[in-house]
Coordinates of all heavy atoms in Angstrom, one line a residue:
R19 N -31.3 130.4 108.5 CA -30.7 130.8 107.3 C -30.7 132.3 107.1 O -29.8 133.0 106.8 CB -31.3 130.1 106.0 CG -30.7 130.6 104.7 CD -31.3 129.8 103.6 NE -31.1 130.6 102.3 CZ -31.9 131.5 101.9 NH1 -33.0 131.8 102.5 NH2 -31.6 132.2 100.8
L20 N -31.9 132.9 107.4 CA -32.1 134.3 107.4 C -31.3 135.1 108.5 O -30.8 136.2 108.2 CB -33.6 134.7 107.5 CG -34.4 134.2 106.3 CD1 -35.9 134.5 106.6 CD2 -34.0 134.9 105.0
R21 N -31.1 134.4 109.6 CA -30.3 135.0 110.7 C -28.8 134.9 110.5 O -28.1 135.7 111.1 CB -30.7 134.3 112.0 CG -32.0 134.6 112.5 CD -32.3 134.0 113.9 NE -33.6 134.4 114.2 CZ -34.7 133.5 114.2 NH1 -34.5 132.3 113.8 NH2 -35.9 133.9 114.5
N22 N -28.4 134.0 109.7 CA -27.0 133.8 109.5 C -26.7 133.8 108.0 O -26.0 132.9 107.4 CB -26.6 132.4 110.1 CG -27.0 132.3 111.5 OD1 -26.4 133.0 112.4 ND2 -27.9 131.5 111.8
F23 N -27.2 134.8 107.3 CA -27.2 134.8 105.8 C -25.8 134.8 105.2 O -25.6 134.2 104.2 CB -27.9 136.1 105.4 CG -28.6 135.9 104.0 CD1 -29.7 135.1 103.9 CD2 -28.1 136.5 102.9 CE1 -30.3 134.9 102.7 CE2 -28.7 136.4 101.7 CZ -29.9 135.5 101.6
S24 N -24.8 135.4 105.8 CA -23.5 135.4 105.3 C -22.6 134.4 106.1 O -21.3 134.5 106.0 CB -22.9 136.8 105.2 OG -22.6 137.3 106.6
G25 N -23.2 133.6 106.9 CA -22.4 132.5 107.6 C -22.0 132.9 109.0 O -21.4 132.1 109.7
K26 N -22.3 134.1 109.4 CA -22.0 134.5 110.8 C -23.3 134.9 111.5 O -24.3 135.4 110.9 CB -20.9 135.5 110.9 CG -21.2 136.8 110.2 CD -20.1 137.8 110.4 CE -20.5 139.1 109.7 NZ -19.6 140.2 109.9
K27 N -23.3 134.9 112.8 CA -24.5 135.2 113.6 C -24.9 136.7 113.4 O -24.1 137.6 113.2 CB -24.2 135.0 115.1 CG -25.4 135.2 116.0 CD -25.1 134.8 117.4 CE -26.4 135.0 118.2 NZ -26.2 134.5 119.6
N28 N -26.2 136.8 113.3 CA -26.9 138.2 113.1 C -26.4 138.8 111.8 O -26.2 140.0 111.7 CB -26.7 139.1 114.2 CG -27.5 138.7 115.4 OD1 -28.5 138.0 115.3 ND2 -27.1 139.1 116.6
S29 N -26.2 138.0 110.8 CA -25.8 138.5 109.4 C -27.0 138.4 108.5 O -27.0 137.5 107.7 CB -24.6 137.8 108.9 OG -24.8 136.4 108.7
Y30 N -28.0 139.2 108.7 CA -29.2 139.1 108.0 C -29.0 139.6 106.5 O -28.0 140.3 106.3 CB -30.3 140.0 108.7 CG -30.6 139.5 110.0 CD1 -29.9 139.9 111.2 CD2 -31.7 138.7 110.2 CE1 -30.2 139.5 112.4 CE2 -32.0 138.2 111.5 CZ -31.3 138.6 112.6 OH -31.6 138.2 113.8
P31 N -29.9 139.2 105.6 CA -29.7 139.7 104.2 C -29.8 141.2 104.1 O -30.5 141.8 104.9 CB -30.8 139.0 103.5 CG -31.7 138.4 104.5 CD -31.0 138.4 105.8
S32 N -29.0 141.8 103.2 CA -29.1 143.2 102.9 C -29.9 143.5 101.7 O -30.2 144.7 101.4 CB -27.7 143.7 102.8 OG -27.0 143.1 101.7
E33 N -30.4 142.5 101.0 CA -31.3 142.7 99.9 C -32.1 141.4 99.7 O -31.7 140.3 100.2 CB -30.5 143.0 98.6 CG -29.4 142.0 98.2 CD -28.6 142.4 97.1 OE1 -28.4 143.7 96.9 OE2 -28.1 141.6 96.4
C34 N -33.1 141.6 98.9 CA -34.0 140.5 98.6 C -34.4 140.7 97.1 O -35.2 141.6 96.8 CB -35.3 140.5 99.4 SG -36.4 139.1 99.1
G35 N -33.7 140.0 96.2 CA -33.9 140.2 94.8 C -33.4 141.6 94.5 O -32.3 142.0 94.9
R36 N -34.2 142.5 93.8 CA -33.8 143.8 93.5 C -34.1 144.8 94.6 O -33.8 146.0 94.5 CB -34.4 144.3 92.2 CG -35.9 144.5 92.3 CD -36.5 145.0 91.0 NE -37.9 145.1 90.9 CZ -38.6 146.2 91.4 NH1 -38.0 147.2 91.9 NH2 -39.9 146.2 91.3
F37 N -34.6 144.3 95.7 CA -35.0 145.2 96.8 C -34.0 145.3 97.9 O -33.6 144.3 98.5 CB -36.4 144.8 97.4 CG -37.5 144.8 96.3 CD1 -37.8 143.6 95.7 CD2 -38.1 145.9 96.0 CE1 -38.8 143.6 94.7 CE2 -39.1 146.0 95.1 CZ -39.5 144.8 94.4
S38 N -33.6 146.5 98.2 CA -32.6 146.7 99.3 C -33.3 146.8 100.7 O -34.3 147.4 100.8 CB -31.9 148.1 99.0 OG -31.0 148.4 100.1
I39 N -32.7 146.1 101.6 CA -33.2 146.0 103.0 C -32.5 147.1 103.8 O -31.3 147.2 103.9 CB -33.0 144.6 103.6 CG1 -33.8 143.6 102.8 CG2 -33.4 144.6 105.1 CD1 -33.5 142.2 103.2
S40 N -33.3 148.0 104.5 CA -32.7 149.0 105.3 C -32.7 148.7 106.8 O -32.0 149.4 107.5 CB -33.5 150.3 105.0 OG -34.9 150.2 105.3
A41 N -33.5 147.8 107.2 CA -33.6 147.4 108.7 C -34.1 146.0 108.9 O -34.9 145.5 108.0 CB -34.4 148.4 109.4
V42 N -33.7 145.4 110.0 CA -34.2 144.1 110.3 C -34.5 144.1 111.8 O -33.8 144.6 112.6 CB -33.1 143.0 110.1 CG1 -33.6 141.6 110.5 CG2 -32.7 143.0 108.6
R43 N -35.7 143.5 112.1 CA -36.1 143.3 113.5 C -36.5 141.8 113.7 O -37.3 141.3 113.0 CB -37.3 144.2 113.9 CG -37.7 144.0 115.4 CD -38.9 144.9 115.8 NE -40.0 144.5 115.0 CZ -40.9 145.3 114.5 NH1 -40.8 146.6 114.7 NH2 -41.9 144.9 113.8
D44 N -35.8 141.2 114.6 CA -36.0 139.8 114.9 C -36.5 139.6 116.3 O -35.7 139.7 117.3 CB -34.7 139.0 114.7 CG -34.8 137.5 114.8 OD1 -35.8 137.0 115.4 OD2 -33.9 136.8 114.2
L45 N -37.8 139.4 116.5 CA -38.4 139.3 117.8 C -38.2 137.9 118.4 O -38.7 137.7 119.5 CB -39.8 139.7 117.8 CG -40.0 141.2 117.5 CD1 -41.5 141.6 117.5 CD2 -39.2 142.1 118.4
T46 N -37.6 137.0 117.7 CA -37.2 135.7 118.3 C -35.9 135.8 119.1 O -35.8 135.3 120.2 CB -37.1 134.6 117.2 OG1 -38.3 134.5 116.5 CG2 -36.7 133.3 117.8
T47 N -35.0 136.6 118.5 CA -33.6 136.7 119.2 C -33.5 138.0 119.9 O -32.6 138.2 120.7 CB -32.5 136.7 118.1 OG1 -32.6 137.8 117.2 CG2 -32.6 135.4 117.3
G48 N -34.4 139.0 119.7 CA -34.3 140.3 120.3 C -33.4 141.3 119.6 O -33.0 142.3 120.2
Y49 N -33.1 141.1 118.3 CA -32.3 141.9 117.5 C -33.1 143.0 116.8 O -34.2 142.6 116.2 CB -31.5 141.1 116.5 CG -30.7 141.9 115.5 CD1 -29.4 142.4 115.9 CD2 -31.2 142.1 114.2 CE1 -28.7 143.1 115.0 CE2 -30.4 142.8 113.3 CZ -29.2 143.3 113.7 OH -28.4 144.0 112.8
D50 N -32.7 144.2 116.7 CA -33.3 145.3 116.0 C -32.3 146.2 115.5 O -31.7 147.0 116.3 CB -34.4 146.0 116.8 CG -35.2 146.9 116.0 OD1 -34.8 147.4 114.9 OD2 -36.3 147.3 116.5
S51 N -32.0 146.2 114.2 CA -30.9 147.1 113.6 C -31.3 148.5 113.7 O -30.4 149.4 113.5 CB -30.6 146.6 112.2 OG -31.7 146.9 111.3
N52 N -32.5 148.9 113.9 CA -32.9 150.3 114.0 C -32.7 150.9 115.4 O -32.8 152.1 115.6 CB -34.4 150.5 113.7 CG -34.7 150.8 112.3 OD1 -33.8 151.3 111.6 ND2 -35.9 150.5 111.8
Q53 N -32.3 150.1 116.3 CA -32.0 150.6 117.7 C -30.5 150.8 117.9 O -29.7 150.0 117.3 CB -32.5 149.6 118.7 CG -34.0 149.4 118.7 CD -34.8 150.7 118.8 OE1 -34.5 151.5 119.7 NE2 -35.8 150.9 118.0
P54 N -30.1 151.8 118.6 CA -28.7 152.1 118.8 C -27.9 150.9 119.3 O -26.7 150.7 118.9 CB -28.7 153.3 119.8 CG -30.0 153.9 119.7 CD -31.0 152.8 119.3
D55 N -28.5 150.1 120.2 CA -27.8 149.0 120.8 C -28.2 147.7 120.1 O -27.8 146.6 120.6 CB -28.1 148.9 122.3 CG -29.6 148.8 122.6 OD1 -30.4 148.7 121.7 OD2 -29.9 148.7 123.8
N56 N -28.9 147.8 119.0 CA -29.4 146.6 118.2 C -30.3 145.7 119.1 O -30.5 144.5 118.7 CB -28.2 145.8 117.7 CG -27.6 146.5 116.5 OD1 -28.2 147.3 115.8 ND2 -26.3 146.2 116.3
K57 N -30.9 146.2 120.1 CA -31.8 145.4 121.0 C -33.2 145.8 120.7 O -33.6 147.0 120.8 CB -31.4 145.5 122.4 CG -30.1 144.9 122.7 CD -29.9 144.8 124.2 CE -28.6 143.9 124.4 NZ -27.7 144.3 125.2
A58 N -34.1 144.8 120.4 CA -35.5 145.1 120.2 C -36.2 145.7 121.4 O -35.9 145.3 122.5 CB -36.2 143.8 119.8

């Protein structure tokens, strides 16, 4: 659910309650939004 938050692959949440999310790293799938190629 966290990986497909808006219904598509790698659509992680952009907020959690009132807190804005600036980056996501998923070491299960190898995704890292802080990397230029999104690879952990």
Side-chain angles (χ1 to χ4, degrees):
R19 178 180 160 268
L20 295 173
R21 289 186 182 102
N22 306 294
F23 209 71
S24 67
K26 60 181 182 171
K27 189 175 180 173
N28 289 339
S29 61
Y30 296 87
S32 60
E33 59 187 26
C34 181
R36 68 176 175 87
F37 299 96
S38 175
I39 296 171
S40 58
V42 177
R43 181 180 61 219
D44 186 340
L45 294 182
T46 302
T47 65
Y49 174 81
D50 189 338
S51 67
N52 266 338
Q53 298 304 314
D55 59 1
N56 288 336
K57 291 190 172 137

